[in-house]
Amino acid sequence: MIISMIEKGWLKRPDMSALESVYRANFEQAVGLISTENASY
Amino acid sequence: MITARLKNAAGNILCEIRLPEHLHEMTLQQYVSFDSIASGEGNPIAIIAEAVQDFTGVDMRTIIKAQVGDIYQRADALDESLRSIFGYISRLITTYEPKMYNQDLHEFEYKGDTYRIPYIRTMPLGLGEVLPDISVVEAIEALELLRISENNKKERPGEEANIRFTTYLKMLSILARKEGEELPVNDAHREQFLTERLIHFQEIDAATALDVDFFLLSSLQRLNATHEIAGFFIRRVSALAVETCGWKKKPTTVRRRTTNKYLPASAGGR
């Protein structure tokens, strides 16, 4: 899940590294993005 | 704290014991250990002796010299017997009423610092619930902790009380946060942070732990979704009361002498 979000550049914040941006993101928001993507396939 | 005494059968004082007057004066470690021993199976007197020894730290050689008292009678006052001390500690635990946290109050004090715990906000007019602001790294740590805890319980069922205690402290380390504090992103720093926080929380008092536990349980129940780590300690409070009240006198194996009404009086009848 983390790698997928880093690769896609989701939740990226300019003041943080890619990994830190994902780790600091709101969990509910991250899960929401992934389930939206899964549902669109 | 109050001072209780243990006497031997001859009425001589064996030792003085300091006992908590409130759950704030009892550590979570003492609570878990007492609960674990008290809910065990076996001879009630051996359980009482071990539980009192473990809780108070009094030497077992002194404990076995102490008068036990009638374990089948309710111990309402400290009467210098083992069962009254056991009853006092049990009553202290089972009569505790947790503090009610709410949307405005979701923090606790510990060693002079204030820690916030995540809470689920209820929307007005029954429009649902707003989940707590948990970050991805906190969620990963919490879920990983639960997975490891479940595995450990399956592999080492005899150490369940210790595993629950450690899991609870680590969960508290992950979720309870001081103002402006964040869980480190770097793996090594995060591990160090959680280990230090876990050691810091080791002396947490039972009252605060039960309050937080009750809060997590009640907020998760509102979502009809819970995990057994939340609410475990608070559920044990009532279980302990049920288990220790369940000690009944064993039925006697000796037949009671009765008169046989069909025999003549000269032969032992009526």
Side-chain angles (χ1 to χ4, degrees), chain A residues 1-2 20 22-28 30, chain B residues 131 133-137 139-140 182-183 185:
Chain A
M1 178 181 113
I2 304 292
E20 195 176 0
V22 173
Y23 271 176
R24 291 266 173 257
N26 182 291
F27 181 65
E28 195 186 352
Chain B
L131 291 174
D133 190 18
I134 288 179
S135 67
V136 170
V137 67
I140 288 171
E182 284 184 320
L183 208 55
V185 170

Side-chain angles (χ1 to χ4, degrees), chain B residues 3-248:
Chain B
T3 304
R5 291 187 298 187
L6 272 180
K7 279 187 176 175
N8 63 12
N12 300 321
I13 296 168
L14 293 170
C15 63
E16 289 197 337
I17 300 170
R18 300 279 289 158
L19 291 174
E21 282 182 274
H22 191 272
L23 246 57
H24 279 296
E25 295 168 342
M26 182 190 296
T27 64
L28 181 62
Q29 176 77 74
Q30 278 180 305
Y31 165 74
V32 171
S33 195
F34 182 85
D35 170 53
S36 171
I37 297 168
S39 56
E41 289 183 2
N43 183 337
I45 297 172
I47 290 174
I48 288 175
E50 193 185 345
V52 172
Q53 189 269 330
D54 186 80
F55 190 89
T56 60
V58 174
D59 195 273
M60 190 50 107
R61 281 172 294 188
T62 308
I63 295 276
I64 56 174
K65 286 181 200 157
Q67 57 178 342
V68 177
D70 187 350
I71 61 164
Y72 302 110
Q73 291 293 317
R74 193 185 151 100
D76 285 324
L78 286 165
D79 62 2
E80 295 157 347
S81 68
L82 269 180
R83 66 108 197 200
S84 73
I85 291 176
F86 179 85
Y88 174 84
I89 301 164
S90 298
R91 200 164 46 252
L92 198 64
I93 291 171
T94 53
T95 54
Y96 180 67
E97 290 180 13
K99 186 164 94 180
M100 292 298 291
Y101 287 99
N102 54 41
Q103 295 179 18
D104 301 319
L105 178 70
H106 53 279
E107 53 192 34
F108 64 92
E109 297 277 334
Y110 178 66
K111 288 189 175 177
D113 290 315
T114 304
Y115 294 86
R116 289 194 164 195
I117 42 179
Y119 68 101
I120 298 164
R121 203 179 307 122
T122 312
M123 297 275 278
L125 305 171
L127 292 173
E129 319 275 352
V130 178
L131 291 174
D133 190 18
I134 288 179
S135 67
V136 170
V137 67
E138 286 167 341
I140 288 171
E141 280 293 333
L143 293 170
E144 183 65 1
L145 172 66
L146 294 177
R147 188 186 67 78
I148 292 169
S149 168
E150 290 302 319
N151 281 351
N152 287 344
K153 272 189 277 179
K154 279 180 202 156
E155 285 169 14
R156 293 176 279 144
E159 295 175 34
E160 194 170 333
N162 276 339
I163 293 168
R164 283 189 195 281
F165 175 66
T166 313
T167 307
Y168 179 81
L169 288 187
K170 197 153 187 187
M171 188 60 87
L172 204 59
S173 307
I174 295 167
L175 297 178
R177 193 86 57 245
K178 288 186 210 173
E179 185 72 44
E181 202 175 52
E182 284 184 320
L183 208 55
V185 170
N186 179 290
D187 287 349
H189 292 171
R190 189 166 65 252
E191 193 57 41
Q192 188 187 353
F193 173 87
L194 290 176
T195 306
E196 283 172 2
R197 196 46 69 81
L198 188 141
I199 293 166
H200 176 66
F201 278 138
Q202 260 180 351
E203 290 162 19
I204 194 166
D205 63 277
T208 305
L210 289 178
D211 289 345
V212 173
D213 194 40
F214 182 69
F215 173 74
L216 291 174
L217 175 71
S218 54
S219 56
L220 284 170
Q221 274 180 340
R222 288 217 311 273
L223 289 177
N224 294 323
T226 185
H227 191 277
E228 66 172 45
I229 194 69
F232 173 74
F233 293 120
I234 206 77
R235 276 195 291 260
R236 289 299 310 156
V237 167
S238 49
L240 180 66
V242 171
E243 280 157 7
T244 50
C245 287
W247 291 343
K248 302 282 186 211

